[in-house]
Amino acid sequence: QPKLLILCHGGNEPLHVLFRRCALAVLASGAEIDDVRDLFERYRDFDVALVQEERGLRLELHNAPARAFVGGDMIRGVREHLFSVLRDILYITHELERGVQFDLSSAAGITDAVFKILRNAGVLVPDVKAGLVVCWGGHSINRLEYDYTKEVGYALGLRGLDVCTGCGPGAMKGPMKGATIAHAKQRISTGRYIGITEPGIIAAEAPNPIVNSLVIMPDMEKRLEAFVRVGHGIVIFPGGVGTAEEILYLLGVLAHPDNAGQALPVVLTGPQESADYFAALDQFIRLVLGAQIAARYRIVIGDPHAVAELQLSDIREVLAERDAHDDAAYFNWRLAVDHAYQLPFAPTHNNVAALTLSRELPPHILASNLRRVFSTIVAGNVKEQGMAAVEAYGPFQIRGESAIMAALDNLLSSFVAQQRMRLPGRPYHPC
């Protein structure tokens, strides 16, 4: 009830500011904007409030983006996403304040919180046997790469597989678009297109219109854990630093000694024109983390149906393994996620400068620290707090073993040259 009162009265309360920003991101979906400050400035007069009525609550919008409406009515998918934002923000803040359901002091407690948020959002469906493929990739990809993501999504959908992405544009939208067409051809009316996001990224990567189940996680770490817990297989398309962050998180989790026997098929794929991108990424991973970690993924270039066939056959093994261990088909409880991977990392200048980047560290610890480096660069590129920190204190300073730093510099330089840091046509200023 106190949370609802805050949203009813509005003002500058942190909860209302958070809800307003997430709501604006949903309403502005489809706008070619990845600078959150540009979005908030463009709609600085926008506001949203809850109005109490005799039979419930009504959302009242002021100066909302016109693109969210047609014929004077809000588009139904936008309306659903808006109420998903309200549902998740209220549930998370309420449970965190009560401290009854969420115990965030331990690894098991954080995993349980991730499970409960997803369950409350309705995405954990026990009787659904279709495999769920998590697709990662950049929001700033070229047309050839985008079309390829649609082809892969189409191939996955023809085989009855569902799709989960970060819910934004680019490589997050393409697989869903392809899958919807394939599901229609197969007369599958229950296709799932799950989008998982968090408040810090939703404005830069607003939910695309195909998402039919939107989930707002509290932070990036819980968002990443949600992906690896619900997915039966993972497909990674070309991207920038955000995609690199996701890859390092995933490989670091799989590198944990307790996950040596865990089946989680990972395929890196793109059109022939993206071969150099994956070659550079593969070279970086092998140099920094070693060949044993690189063996956890396969690279497939220019063959969407081969990607889908690999995912289908491996996902059948994943589901059989979970059944053999009496594990839930819809949530991977047995996957070990180190506590270091679950703790939110504040991308400040002091925190990133203090990170240790050395190949003397165990691979899963080094991968965690590298993931935090990329998380910092994401913040400096598209998150409001990170961009403000760079303006106030200058670029982030990253230090580490010379071989790692040289490889990192080469990788980032290739991302900039390939225009993977910003939407096409927008200048990039290194952070």
Side-chain angles (χ1 to χ4, degrees), residues 362-376:
H364 69 286
I365 299 300
L366 175 56
S368 174
N369 288 347
L370 282 167
R371 198 280 300 177
R372 289 170 172 173
V373 167
F374 282 98
S375 182
T376 301

Side-chain angles (χ1 to χ4, degrees), residues 28 66 95 116 133 182 192 227 248 272 281 283 304 317 323 351:
E95 294 304 332
K116 287 173 178 172
V133 180
R192 297 194 300 159
F227 280 129
L248 287 165
Q272 191 63 47
L281 194 60
Q283 183 180 24
E317 292 183 14
D323 189 51
N351 285 349

Side-chain angles (χ1 to χ4, degrees), residues 104-397:
L104 304 183
S105 62
S106 67
I110 292 174
T111 296
D112 189 53
V114 170
F115 170 80
K116 287 173 178 172
I117 294 168
L118 293 170
R119 182 180 62 184
N120 185 67
V123 299
L124 302 181
V125 186
D127 58 348
V128 172
K129 295 300 182 183
L132 182 65
V133 180
V134 171
C135 294
W136 287 339
H139 73 291
S140 177
I141 56 175
N142 61 47
R143 187 71 205 189
L144 278 172
E145 291 171 342
Y146 176 68
D147 288 342
Y148 183 83
T149 67
K150 289 195 295 183
E151 292 174 19
V152 172
Y154 180 75
L156 294 171
L158 284 180
R159 290 159 177 81
L161 299 172
D162 292 326
V163 175
C164 172
T165 77
C167 89
M172 292 165 273
K173 178 182 177 182
M176 290 184 170
K177 195 168 186 179
T180 58
I181 298 170
H183 286 161
K185 281 190 120 178
Q186 293 285 28
R187 303 301 186 261
I188 296 172
S189 60
T190 56
R192 297 194 300 159
Y193 318 106
I194 301 172
I196 302 177
T197 186
E198 54 98 9
I201 202 73
I202 188 172
E205 298 177 358
N208 69 68
I210 303 167
V211 173
N212 61 11
S213 293
L214 177 66
V215 187
I216 316 291
M217 302 300 293
D219 50 58
M220 181 61 73
E221 286 72 17
K222 293 176 185 62
R223 179 196 189 206
L224 290 171
E225 182 167 353
F227 280 129
V228 298
R229 296 284 183 189
V230 301
H232 301 113
I234 296 180
V235 173
I236 302 171
F237 298 105
V241 287
T243 304
E245 176 187 2
E246 292 165 339
I247 292 172
L248 287 165
Y249 175 91
L250 173 63
L251 294 179
V253 167
L254 294 177
H256 193 289
D258 292 347
N259 292 328
Q262 274 281 340
L264 185 60
V266 181
V267 176
L268 279 58
T269 189
Q272 191 63 47
E273 292 77 8
S274 304
D276 290 344
Y277 166 82
F278 287 110
L281 194 60
D282 183 56
Q283 183 180 24
F284 176 78
I285 292 169
R286 290 179 184 277
L287 173 69
V288 175
L289 299 177
Q292 187 174 357
I293 305 301
R296 294 303 301 254
Y297 60 79
R298 287 169 286 190
I299 299 177
V300 177
I301 300 298
D303 195 340
H305 286 280
V307 173
E309 278 299 315
L310 283 172
Q311 286 288 298
L312 180 63
S313 60
D314 289 346
I315 284 173
R316 285 171 176 166
E317 292 183 14
V318 168
L319 292 172
E321 180 187 274
R322 292 193 188 180
D323 189 51
H325 287 88
D326 199 25
D327 200 8
Y330 52 88
F331 192 84
N332 190 349
W333 287 103
R334 294 173 55 243
L335 189 71
V337 178
D338 194 279
H339 200 202
Y341 281 75
Q342 298 176 313
L343 299 175
F345 177 74
T348 66
H349 284 69
N350 288 338
N351 285 349
V352 73
L355 290 173
T356 301
L357 302 178
S358 169
R359 286 176 292 182
E360 294 182 1
L361 294 172
H364 69 286
I365 299 300
L366 175 56
S368 174
N369 288 347
L370 282 167
R371 198 280 300 177
R372 289 170 172 173
V373 167
F374 282 98
S375 182
T376 301
I377 300 171
V378 171
N381 282 352
V382 299
K383 293 188 179 182
E384 189 176 17
Q385 280 187 314
M387 296 167 77
V390 171
E391 288 181 354
Y393 306 111
F396 294 108
Q397 299 294 317

